[in-house]
Amino acid sequence: MDKFRVRFAPSPTGPLHIGGARSALFNYLLARKHGGTFILRIEDTDLERSSRESEQNIMDSLRWLGMDWDEGPDKGGPFGPYRQTERLGTYRSYVDRLLAEGKAYLCYCTEEELAAEREALMTKVELPRYLGRCRSLTQGCRERLEAEGRKPVVRFLVPEDQTVVVEDRVRGQVAFETNGIGDFVIVKSDGIPTYNFAVVIDDATMEITHVIRAEEHLSNTPRQILIYQALGLPLPEFAHISLILGKDRTKMSKRHGSTSVVQYREQGYLPQALVNFLALLGWAPEGEEEIFSMEQLVDRFSLDRVAKNPAVFDMDKLLWLNGYYIRQAPLEEVTRLALPYLQAAGYVGGEVSHVQMEWLKHLVGAVRKGISHLAEIPARTALFFTNELTYSAEAQRVLQEEQVPMVLNTLKEKLAVTPMTEEGVKGMLKTLAKELKLGGKQVYMPIRAALTGEVHGPELFDIIPLLGVEECARRLDSAVALVTGP
RNA sequence: GGCCCGUUGGUCAAGUGGUCUAAGACACCGGCCUUUCACGCCGGUAACAGGGGUUCGAAUCCCCUACGGGUCACCA
């Protein structure tokens, strides 16, 4: 194959959906694998719902995920423009051809008339579709209707008794009968083409070689093929990937929780984790390895191993995968990513000094093991930023033990002469238990409870240096005061 | 409802007629590690939707049924 051109063609009617991101990813991966071209095309023919905001969101999300395009509305390219509303002239010439050749016609039916027709067919238990009432209007008829102020749409004349076969790279041959397809609208009354028409013209004129998109488009494909044929345009290869389903096995929607890429971004998912996860949804690698960087995915991805069946979005696995990436990534990077969450919680100011940064790295390193996404950071680190510790029920119980005041006071003394390093604290803690002749649990649990208010948490040898001698002393005193009474 | 796609453990999935007494991952359960939780390590429970064929032999091929999904817009 001398040329490999694929596209991701979202309609900018909302933030980038997780399913859209996966479609984009599959296209991107294949383009990079084959040294081809990845094109971003904005399908904004729905004037009502499209917005530049959404377009921007989609581009930001794609970039955040690590997908860059070679041609697109923002960077141009030899086949532009890349926004459908800017290609109206192109569509017009093709529509005129269809009209001139009698392969399409004007239709003046009103919405009410169409609704009535649909209703009638439904009650007769027939396929609801357009029956072709305006197929052969006379010139006079047309003039009268236009005089009434009716704006026509253009309908494609669907040939009868034909079988259209979609050659699909993931599904094989899929046949459709044209009799089940009514003459469909290709240009709306406002002069804007519909999706089914614009997509064909764009894919053809942009010389797209492989159309890889979600399965919901499979049923539309025969319509599109009919247009390709009517215009004598070469067909691209098609590949329809299955949908992503929610837990209840219906198409993933807001009801299932977060569906847009930005939401995951905001909750502190790493783009690498999301990409890895999305790739595994509907595609299976050859070996048993499941952790892949974008580069590795580019290397291994192939349409042959894309599944036909829909996949349920498994939040548990995403959480695990994200936690895995958080644990694996360089501490420096995770800290940088965690910073905004700490700032939003008011724990850290806008300016971060070098010393503070080192402290933050230590902090993040101490808590990263137990989290699956960065949004958990504030809750996990709250104890380091509070002046008034609250003690959990278990912590209070632990502090009631009789040896506690003695343990805490001894610790306080030792702290003053202990180097605030992991090793220093570790050694001090060890000798403390030995000198006191107490079981580990009897000394370490009270310390933990006094210092954090909890019975679970990071390692003591992380907590103590992080808190510092003074703060530790303060907390120790508070705890002692609490149990010995005023 | 018509058309189209799909159906391997709770989830993602490997498997393309014999090597399947069916892999791996997440989740779950148990153990180890850890004087906490987690992480990590080790182990375990758990599946070919049902029924007919074809075949010496079927998770793999065909048919039917059931179930799930998609689509039938002047949305994409």
Side-chain angles (χ1 to χ4, degrees):
Chain A
M1 184 177 319
D2 34 45
K3 155 173 104 158
F4 191 98
R5 291 174 59 82
V6 293
R7 77 331 189 256
F8 174 54
S11 63
T13 53
L16 180 61
H17 189 271
I18 210 76
R22 190 182 58 144
S23 295
L25 180 63
F26 284 18
N27 276 285
Y28 174 82
L29 258 18
L30 253 10
R32 292 293 171 262
K33 186 190 179 81
H34 294 116
T37 307
F38 179 54
I39 297 147
L40 175 64
R41 182 175 73 224
I42 301 297
E43 309 217 326
D44 56 352
T45 53
D46 183 343
L47 270 23
E48 296 287 306
R49 301 193 299 146
S50 295
S51 75
R52 280 302 169 103
E53 243 176 286
S54 297
E55 183 181 313
Q56 194 56 50
N57 174 288
I58 289 167
M59 296 201 289
D60 290 345
S61 292
L62 287 174
R63 285 213 180 86
W64 177 70
L65 288 169
M67 291 182 248
D68 53 311
W69 48 97
D70 306 300
E71 298 172 24
D74 60 328
K75 57 194 332 178
F79 297 86
Y82 295 89
R83 246 187 300 260
Q84 293 189 322
T85 49
E86 293 168 9
R87 319 185 99 240
L88 266 23
T90 305
Y91 308 128
R92 151 127 293 140
S93 61
Y94 285 96
V95 173
D96 289 346
R97 244 178 76 193
L98 253 18
L99 248 15
E101 293 171 13
K103 291 170 176 170
Y105 60 91
L106 300 178
C107 167
Y108 291 86
C109 294
T110 62
E111 256 176 79
E112 294 73 45
E113 289 166 349
L114 294 172
E117 178 177 90
R118 210 171 309 146
E119 189 109 349
L121 285 170
M122 293 278 248
T123 54
K124 281 197 292 181
V125 206
E126 274 185 50
L127 178 66
R129 87 210 108 108
Y130 183 71
L131 294 177
R133 185 161 26 164
C134 294
R135 264 181 201 170
S136 42
L137 288 176
T138 62
Q139 186 63 27
C141 255
R142 272 204 283 273
E143 276 165 18
R144 196 172 55 247
L145 288 162
E146 293 212 16
E148 279 178 33
R150 291 199 187 190
K151 292 266 194 198
V153 299
V154 179
R155 281 184 190 274
F156 183 81
L157 183 59
V158 176
E160 288 173 19
D161 302 319
Q162 278 191 19
T163 302
V164 179
V165 177
V166 180
E167 295 282 351
D168 194 282
R169 283 291 298 277
V170 352
R171 273 149 226 286
Q173 298 192 331
V174 184
F176 295 86
E177 301 301 321
T178 57
N179 291 355
I181 305 172
D183 295 349
F184 54 94
V185 174
I186 56 175
V187 180
K188 303 182 239 180
S189 55
D190 59 3
I192 309 287
T194 59
Y195 163 73
N196 277 130
F197 185 69
V199 76
V200 169
I201 304 307
D202 289 340
D203 286 338
T205 56
M206 291 182 180
E207 298 179 18
I208 301 300
T209 57
H210 299 254
V211 170
I212 301 157
R213 74 238 297 192
E215 191 192 342
E216 53 189 325
H217 293 291
L218 183 57
S219 307
N220 278 320
T221 309
R223 290 180 178 76
Q224 293 163 19
I225 289 178
L226 253 14
I227 297 174
Y228 277 102
Q229 290 172 343
L231 255 13
L233 297 168
L235 285 176
E237 283 209 49
F238 291 103
H240 288 91
I241 61 181
S242 61
L243 262 18
I244 297 179
L245 271 26
K247 249 202 152 31
D248 62 354
R249 304 204 74 92
T250 61
K251 192 167 149 185
M252 183 116 158
S253 71
K254 353 281 167 272
R255 300 197 322 280
H256 304 291
S258 305
T259 52
S260 66
V261 173
V262 265
Q263 284 174 296
Y264 287 92
R265 181 180 183 170
E266 283 161 4
Q267 288 162 37
Y269 287 83
L270 306 198
Q272 301 91 315
L274 205 51
V275 162
N276 195 153
F277 177 70
L278 253 19
L280 257 18
L281 230 44
W283 169 77
E286 224 155 317
E288 291 184 351
E289 190 76 18
E290 295 209 328
I291 305 291
F292 300 110
S293 65
M294 188 71 99
E295 293 69 36
Q296 293 171 313
L297 287 172
V298 165
D299 185 51
R300 315 202 178 193
F301 192 82
S302 98
L303 237 29
D304 303 335
R305 296 187 68 83
V306 170
K308 299 183 185 45
N309 53 309
V312 172
F313 191 90
D314 185 1
M315 188 54 89
D316 280 333
K317 187 151 183 178
L318 206 213
L319 248 17
W320 169 78
L321 202 51
N322 197 240
Y324 177 84
Y325 275 90
I326 287 175
R327 271 168 256 132
Q328 296 299 311
L331 185 55
E332 181 103 36
E333 188 191 337
V334 180
T335 305
R336 186 173 48 76
L337 294 171
L339 189 56
Y341 296 88
L342 261 7
Q343 289 170 323
Y347 296 163
V348 179
E351 292 288 303
V352 182
S353 67
H354 180 72
V355 177
Q356 204 174 1
M357 198 60 199
E358 288 305 306
W359 184 83
L360 286 173
K361 271 163 68 178
H362 188 181
L363 175 71
V364 171
V367 301
R368 91 213 280 205
K369 276 195 172 143
I371 64 173
S372 54
H373 54 170
L374 267 14
E376 292 176 69
I377 287 272
R380 296 290 180 140
T381 56
L383 71 99
F384 293 99
F385 299 100
T386 182
N387 288 318
E388 280 168 65
L389 220 48
T390 54
Y391 304 90
S392 71
E394 293 120 302
Q396 288 182 42
R397 216 191 49 234
V398 166
L399 291 172
Q400 294 309 318
E401 294 169 17
E402 63 172 334
Q403 84 285 12
V404 170
M406 188 263 293
V407 169
L408 300 186
N409 283 323
T410 312
L411 172 67
K412 188 180 157 190
E413 286 166 25
K414 294 219 166 234
L415 242 27
V417 294
T418 303
M420 284 295 110
T421 62
E422 178 179 326
E423 284 314 306
V425 174
K426 213 183 246 177
M428 180 273 290
L429 251 18
K430 203 160 231 165
T431 54
L432 178 68
K434 208 172 283 174
E435 286 172 19
L436 261 25
K437 294 195 171 61
L438 284 172
K441 201 172 176 188
Q442 289 172 291
V443 2
Y444 301 123
M445 273 314 248
I447 295 175
R448 173 176 296 284
L451 256 24
T452 71
E454 294 290 341
V455 292
H456 304 305
E459 303 286 356
L460 282 180
F461 54 74
D462 277 323
I463 294 171
I464 291 171
L466 242 13
L467 248 20
V469 179
E470 279 178 40
E471 180 60 18
C472 284
R474 239 201 67 225
R475 293 188 183 194
L476 258 12
D477 286 341
S478 301
V480 170
L482 182 82
V483 294
T484 53

